[in-house]
Amino acid sequence: MTRLSMVYITLYYIAFAIFLGGFLFKIWRFAKTPAPLVIVGTPGAKSGVGTALRVASDALLFRSLFRGNKWIWVGAYCFHFGLLFLIFRHLRYFVWPLPMWYSRVEQLVGITGGLMVVIGIGWLLGRRFFHARTRYISAFSDYFVLFLLLAIAGTGLLIKFSVRTDIIAVKTFMLGLARLHPQPAPADPWFLLHFSLVLVLLVYFPFSKLMHAGGVFFSPTRNQIDWTRSTERNGGTSLPSRTRSLRRSARG
Amino acid sequence: MADIVTPKLDGKIRIPLMEEGATSHYHTLESSPKLNEALGYPGELVENWQEKAIEKFREVLDTNKALRVFMDICVKCGSCTDKCHYFIGTHDSRNMPVARQDLMRKVYRRYFTLGGKLFPKLVGASDFTKEVLDEWYTYFHQCSQCRRCSVFCPYGIDTAEISMAARLIMSHIGLSSKYSNEIIAKVYNTGNNLGIPAPALAGTMEFLEEEVKDATGVDVRYPMDEKGADVLLIAPSADFFSAPHVDSLIGYGKVFHEAGISWTVSSYASEFANFGMFVGDFHVMRKIAQRIKDAAREFGVKRIVVGECGHAWRVGHSFWNTLVGPWDFLDQRYPVPQHICEFSLDLIQRGGLKLDKSANDARIVTFHDSCNVARASSMGGYEGGQFEVPRELIRATCNNFVEMAEDTIKEKTYCCGGGGGLLTDDLMELRIRGVLPRAEALHAVMESHGVNYLALICAICKAQFTKVLPYYNIPMEVVGGIHQLVGDAIVLGGAKHEV
């Protein structure tokens, strides 16, 4: 094992631990923070199923964004679903063996996804640069994450189409990491650049606005049920325990 | 009238170019030390205010999931940037919802996130300086907490929650708005926002009985403090003393008269409005709501019906149960509280009201959805009922009903520009500019359909519109409550029945 391999293997595990620990910590904190008052936004679903559908329509279809701004929606949808395709395309580096149908579709899905991501980011970056109101609200970090993702997608496309990397070596390395049985890292600098950028993204993720990926499920204006006036609850017995204790403290 | 040039209406809502700092001088009057102390806050800005503010900030983050989540997950997509009526009306870039939120987020990042602690410049973080505190006070008092931005946010981020939290934090270091604090103190002392003492209230109710008798020849009762009544009516206090509010109160009385239900108002809890919400203080909200519960218990009523008030409907509908529930001593067959629109529509649908629609034939009516009804509550027990119940009531009482443009009604409704504790003379310019999108939408139907009646179910909207629409050459007489329409259409003694 070369020193280079040792360094990359170590960095990978550190980055992955930061990502996982950070992400789970944030989610845990979102989940445990009490929401004492029902602040659900219109139309407040009256049932758990209705609420789940509502949250799902925002997570999967970006429904509220669609209502807010079709131009952002186009770019965002293109980008996010391209990302989803690319994750699918990378499954072979984490899971093996995969079913037959996977290898039949992966190229198509991968190439489509790559293009969608690049076009989507280009679109969103263009807005940040040229749309006055969006430029006004953008900080360095908003550009940074787009450029980072663009660089990841760019280097990915590069090692796929231009300076083709040895994908057998990549697969051996990646599966070794996933199986906690590290193998030597491929010495291809373009691959290592691509890989390094992904590590940066992993470390950056939990400390940034990328947490919207988990947070979208915890927004009280969307995930609460409009139950406050249902007569069977007027007895107060079904109030969440946190609410009861808050009410006691308010009385005290 | 304030000296202000308003644009000429043409029925089109335009998204303006940004003007940084256009309204940085709109600084609502600060509360006096005496008033602050009366509400349990420090009298004036405490010496170590920065430390205290961060301490309170941390406490709110730990106890309010909305704030915790909203501080972290905004991606700056820009979907909200053209949605705020104050941005449309004032052009000030900080009145774009995300920019307003960022005033708080930049402090959050500096003190509560790794990125902000290490590289404040790169993530848009900032120390909590006196200048930032000034911006907070200025711009968190230019948010009417109407929640329109939240509808269009991919994550439902609600600037109302953020402005409430900011005002709460500021109150706890001794900085708060005179207007809201004065009103809260009045409720504590007299039971209502206007500070009307019980004898004056009794006088009003007597006067209304005489008025209705003169106009109709029928003895319709307007009772106060009558123990043993079936219904406790909780109305915004403006309904007792302001025009056009009082016409709705007359309408409520006629509805109860026809329903044959005994009812009363309470001089102890003579206020539905609850400004505790505007200042973001759970404890204030609870204290005001408790008065209503105490009155209901004391009178031994079976149900609570509430009058036309937007934010108070939110508090009653969504918060009462949590704040002061349980309401197990009331008749469980009825929702607690029940909106007067629900009450009247139900009565109509069961044939309990005889209506003569032609009494409203001179009126061509449109309906303004008030923000807190539209975006923070429901009616009728079904999704979207808060849009349908008032409209059905209008259709049942009028022959001429016209909707304003799709993008300005229902959950996309524009605020009147006076909600959220901003209905004060010292923010007059803001109020005049903030009504612009609603005025444009109204102007459009006035031109196209000859609309001459803007129906509402919110006391603040009524007060705001009657005051600011004249600046756009729309007469204040167009503004009125739904129960003014109901009251005028009712044929007294027309329906004989048991309810």
Side-chain angles (χ1 to χ4, degrees), chain B residues 470-498:
Chain B
Y471 287 91
Y472 294 90
N473 297 318
I474 298 174
M476 61 185 281
E477 288 73 24
V478 304
V479 182
I482 281 191
H483 274 80
Q484 186 173 342
L485 299 173
V486 175
D488 287 352
I490 286 180
V491 181
L492 288 171
K496 289 279 167 263
H497 60 89
E498 288 287 312

Short mmCIF file of all heavy atoms in Angstrom, two decimals, chain B residues 470-498:
data_model
loop_
_atom_site.label_atom_id
_atom_site.label_comp_id
_atom_site.label_asym_id
_atom_site.label_seq_id
_atom_site.Cartn_x
_atom_site.Cartn_y
_atom_site.Cartn_z
N PRO B 470 -58.11 55.57 0.97
CA PRO B 470 -58.34 56.92 0.42
C PRO B 470 -57.09 57.55 -0.20
O PRO B 470 -57.21 58.38 -1.09
CB PRO B 470 -58.82 57.71 1.65
CG PRO B 470 -59.50 56.69 2.49
CD PRO B 470 -58.67 55.44 2.33
N TYR B 471 -55.89 57.16 0.24
CA TYR B 471 -54.67 57.68 -0.38
C TYR B 471 -54.57 57.26 -1.84
O TYR B 471 -53.80 57.82 -2.62
CB TYR B 471 -53.43 57.21 0.37
CG TYR B 471 -53.23 57.90 1.70
CD1 TYR B 471 -53.76 57.35 2.87
CD2 TYR B 471 -52.54 59.10 1.78
CE1 TYR B 471 -53.61 57.98 4.08
CE2 TYR B 471 -52.37 59.73 3.00
CZ TYR B 471 -52.90 59.17 4.15
OH TYR B 471 -52.74 59.80 5.35
N TYR B 472 -55.30 56.20 -2.19
CA TYR B 472 -55.31 55.73 -3.58
C TYR B 472 -56.63 56.09 -4.27
O TYR B 472 -57.02 55.46 -5.25
CB TYR B 472 -55.09 54.21 -3.63
CG TYR B 472 -53.71 53.80 -3.15
CD1 TYR B 472 -53.47 53.53 -1.80
CD2 TYR B 472 -52.66 53.70 -4.04
CE1 TYR B 472 -52.21 53.17 -1.36
CE2 TYR B 472 -51.39 53.33 -3.62
CZ TYR B 472 -51.17 53.07 -2.27
OH TYR B 472 -49.92 52.71 -1.84
N ASN B 473 -57.33 57.06 -3.68
CA ASN B 473 -58.61 57.51 -4.22
C ASN B 473 -59.67 56.41 -4.23
O ASN B 473 -60.54 56.38 -5.10
CB ASN B 473 -58.45 58.07 -5.64
CG ASN B 473 -57.55 59.30 -5.63
OD1 ASN B 473 -57.69 60.14 -4.73
ND2 ASN B 473 -56.63 59.37 -6.56
N ILE B 474 -59.58 55.49 -3.29
CA ILE B 474 -60.65 54.52 -3.10
C ILE B 474 -61.36 54.93 -1.81
O ILE B 474 -60.72 55.01 -0.76
CB ILE B 474 -60.10 53.08 -2.98
CG1 ILE B 474 -59.38 52.68 -4.28
CG2 ILE B 474 -61.22 52.10 -2.64
CD1 ILE B 474 -58.69 51.34 -4.22
N PRO B 475 -62.66 55.24 -1.88
CA PRO B 475 -63.32 55.77 -0.68
C PRO B 475 -63.40 54.74 0.43
O PRO B 475 -63.53 53.54 0.18
CB PRO B 475 -64.71 56.14 -1.18
CG PRO B 475 -64.91 55.35 -2.43
CD PRO B 475 -63.56 55.13 -3.03
N MET B 476 -63.32 55.22 1.67
CA MET B 476 -63.34 54.30 2.81
C MET B 476 -64.68 53.57 2.93
O MET B 476 -64.74 52.51 3.53
CB MET B 476 -63.03 55.06 4.11
CG MET B 476 -64.02 56.15 4.46
SD MET B 476 -63.47 57.06 5.93
CE MET B 476 -63.96 55.94 7.23
N GLU B 477 -65.73 54.12 2.31
CA GLU B 477 -67.05 53.51 2.44
C GLU B 477 -67.14 52.13 1.78
O GLU B 477 -68.09 51.39 2.02
CB GLU B 477 -68.13 54.42 1.83
CG GLU B 477 -68.42 55.67 2.64
CD GLU B 477 -67.31 56.71 2.55
OE1 GLU B 477 -66.55 56.71 1.56
OE2 GLU B 477 -67.18 57.51 3.49
N VAL B 478 -66.17 51.78 0.92
CA VAL B 478 -66.25 50.46 0.27
C VAL B 478 -65.98 49.34 1.27
O VAL B 478 -66.30 48.18 1.01
CB VAL B 478 -65.26 50.30 -0.92
CG1 VAL B 478 -65.48 51.39 -1.95
CG2 VAL B 478 -63.83 50.26 -0.45
N VAL B 479 -65.37 49.68 2.42
CA VAL B 479 -64.92 48.64 3.35
C VAL B 479 -66.03 48.24 4.30
O VAL B 479 -66.70 49.10 4.89
CB VAL B 479 -63.71 49.15 4.16
CG1 VAL B 479 -63.20 48.07 5.10
CG2 VAL B 479 -62.61 49.63 3.23
N GLY B 480 -66.25 46.94 4.47
CA GLY B 480 -67.25 46.50 5.44
C GLY B 480 -67.13 45.02 5.77
O GLY B 480 -66.48 44.26 5.05
N GLY B 481 -67.76 44.63 6.86
CA GLY B 481 -67.69 43.25 7.30
C GLY B 481 -68.70 42.37 6.57
O GLY B 481 -69.66 42.85 5.99
N ILE B 482 -68.44 41.06 6.64
CA ILE B 482 -69.40 40.11 6.06
C ILE B 482 -70.71 40.17 6.83
O ILE B 482 -71.80 40.08 6.25
CB ILE B 482 -68.82 38.68 6.07
CG1 ILE B 482 -67.84 38.52 4.92
CG2 ILE B 482 -69.94 37.64 5.96
CD1 ILE B 482 -67.40 37.10 4.67
N HIS B 483 -70.63 40.34 8.15
CA HIS B 483 -71.88 40.33 8.93
C HIS B 483 -72.66 41.62 8.82
O HIS B 483 -73.80 41.69 9.27
CB HIS B 483 -71.62 39.90 10.38
CG HIS B 483 -71.66 38.41 10.48
ND1 HIS B 483 -70.59 37.64 10.11
CD2 HIS B 483 -72.66 37.55 10.82
CE1 HIS B 483 -70.92 36.37 10.23
NE2 HIS B 483 -72.16 36.28 10.65
N GLN B 484 -72.06 42.61 8.19
CA GLN B 484 -72.84 43.78 7.80
C GLN B 484 -73.77 43.36 6.66
O GLN B 484 -74.95 43.72 6.64
CB GLN B 484 -71.88 44.88 7.35
CG GLN B 484 -72.55 46.20 7.05
CD GLN B 484 -71.54 47.30 6.77
OE1 GLN B 484 -70.36 47.18 7.12
NE2 GLN B 484 -71.99 48.36 6.14
N LEU B 485 -73.24 42.56 5.73
CA LEU B 485 -74.07 42.04 4.63
C LEU B 485 -75.15 41.12 5.17
O LEU B 485 -76.32 41.19 4.78
CB LEU B 485 -73.20 41.28 3.63
CG LEU B 485 -72.09 42.04 2.93
CD1 LEU B 485 -71.22 41.10 2.10
CD2 LEU B 485 -72.69 43.13 2.04
N VAL B 486 -74.72 40.23 6.08
CA VAL B 486 -75.68 39.28 6.66
C VAL B 486 -76.77 40.04 7.40
O VAL B 486 -77.98 39.80 7.20
CB VAL B 486 -74.97 38.29 7.62
CG1 VAL B 486 -75.98 37.38 8.31
CG2 VAL B 486 -73.92 37.47 6.87
N GLY B 487 -76.35 40.99 8.24
CA GLY B 487 -77.30 41.77 9.03
C GLY B 487 -78.31 42.50 8.16
O GLY B 487 -79.50 42.55 8.48
N ASP B 488 -77.83 43.06 7.05
CA ASP B 488 -78.74 43.81 6.18
C ASP B 488 -79.70 42.91 5.42
O ASP B 488 -80.79 43.34 5.04
CB ASP B 488 -77.93 44.65 5.17
CG ASP B 488 -77.27 45.84 5.86
OD1 ASP B 488 -77.56 46.06 7.06
OD2 ASP B 488 -76.45 46.53 5.22
N ALA B 489 -79.30 41.66 5.18
CA ALA B 489 -80.15 40.76 4.40
C ALA B 489 -81.16 40.00 5.25
O ALA B 489 -82.15 39.47 4.74
CB ALA B 489 -79.28 39.76 3.62
N ILE B 490 -80.91 39.94 6.56
CA ILE B 490 -81.80 39.16 7.43
C ILE B 490 -83.20 39.78 7.48
O ILE B 490 -83.35 40.99 7.66
CB ILE B 490 -81.24 39.08 8.87
CG1 ILE B 490 -80.04 38.12 8.91
CG2 ILE B 490 -82.30 38.63 9.86
CD1 ILE B 490 -79.42 37.98 10.28
N VAL B 491 -84.22 38.94 7.28
CA VAL B 491 -85.59 39.36 7.50
C VAL B 491 -85.95 38.94 8.92
O VAL B 491 -86.10 37.75 9.20
CB VAL B 491 -86.55 38.70 6.49
CG1 VAL B 491 -87.97 39.17 6.73
CG2 VAL B 491 -86.10 38.98 5.07
N LEU B 492 -86.00 39.93 9.82
CA LEU B 492 -86.18 39.58 11.24
C LEU B 492 -87.54 38.93 11.46
O LEU B 492 -88.55 39.36 10.90
CB LEU B 492 -86.03 40.82 12.12
CG LEU B 492 -84.60 41.34 12.25
CD1 LEU B 492 -84.56 42.68 12.96
CD2 LEU B 492 -83.70 40.34 12.97
N GLY B 493 -87.53 37.87 12.28
CA GLY B 493 -88.76 37.15 12.56
C GLY B 493 -89.23 36.32 11.37
O GLY B 493 -90.35 35.83 11.36
N GLY B 494 -88.36 36.17 10.39
CA GLY B 494 -88.74 35.50 9.15
C GLY B 494 -88.76 33.99 9.26
O GLY B 494 -89.54 33.33 8.57
N ALA B 495 -87.94 33.43 10.08
CA ALA B 495 -87.86 31.97 10.17
C ALA B 495 -88.24 31.55 11.58
O ALA B 495 -87.60 31.91 12.55
CB ALA B 495 -86.45 31.52 9.85
N LYS B 496 -89.32 30.80 11.68
CA LYS B 496 -89.75 30.31 12.99
C LYS B 496 -89.34 28.85 13.11
O LYS B 496 -89.70 28.03 12.28
CB LYS B 496 -91.27 30.45 13.13
CG LYS B 496 -91.71 31.90 13.27
CD LYS B 496 -91.55 32.40 14.71
CE LYS B 496 -91.69 33.92 14.80
NZ LYS B 496 -90.42 34.64 14.81
N HIS B 497 -88.59 28.55 14.12
CA HIS B 497 -88.04 27.19 14.18
C HIS B 497 -87.44 26.95 15.55
O HIS B 497 -87.27 27.87 16.36
CB HIS B 497 -86.96 27.03 13.14
CG HIS B 497 -85.85 28.01 13.37
ND1 HIS B 497 -84.79 27.73 14.17
CD2 HIS B 497 -85.70 29.30 12.96
CE1 HIS B 497 -84.01 28.80 14.24
NE2 HIS B 497 -84.55 29.75 13.53
N GLU B 498 -87.07 25.73 15.79
CA GLU B 498 -86.30 25.36 16.97
C GLU B 498 -84.88 25.04 16.51
O GLU B 498 -84.69 24.35 15.51
CB GLU B 498 -86.90 24.09 17.60
CG GLU B 498 -88.23 24.32 18.29
CD GLU B 498 -88.06 25.09 19.60
OE1 GLU B 498 -87.19 24.70 20.39
OE2 GLU B 498 -88.78 26.07 19.82
#
